[in-house]
Amino acid sequence: MHSYTRAESRERGKLFRQGFRQALADCVDPDVRRKIERIDQAAAERGALELAALHKVQADARHDLAAAKAVERTAPRADRAAAREARKAAEQRVKLAERAVHKAEQS
């Protein structure tokens, strides 16, 4: 996964266009290629950190869901409705976390 900042994305696009023009002229500057690789490497490192953070959020959400299910099962009759709402909220957080992880892994 790559996570480019806006500045990196602009710079990478500019360098790509510059390299493309140089390739058409058959005189590619190795500096352009190195700069693009450096930007890609920084974005890949940032993306890996963000993906690890998303996996942690997903694991925490699953843990919270398990705890909410246990509370719901053991809640007295008077508190069961509140426990059910807490479980539904935990399920929603798990669903959002899974969607975010899936989206990050696809890009």
Side-chain angles (χ1 to χ4, degrees), residues 71-82:
V71 167
E72 182 184 12
R73 289 183 184 130
T74 60
R77 188 177 207 78
D79 299 335
R80 200 162 289 155

Side-chain angles (χ1 to χ4, degrees), residues 2 7-8 12 27 38 61 100 102:
H2 289 78
E8 286 175 340
R12 189 178 190 285
C27 60
R38 188 172 36 239
H102 180 70

Side-chain angles (χ1 to χ4, degrees), residues 12-29:
R12 189 178 190 285
K14 185 178 106 178
L15 290 168
F16 178 80
R17 288 186 295 277
Q18 183 180 357
F20 183 74
R21 284 191 299 269
Q22 290 176 358
L24 290 176
D26 204 24
C27 60
V28 178
D29 184 13

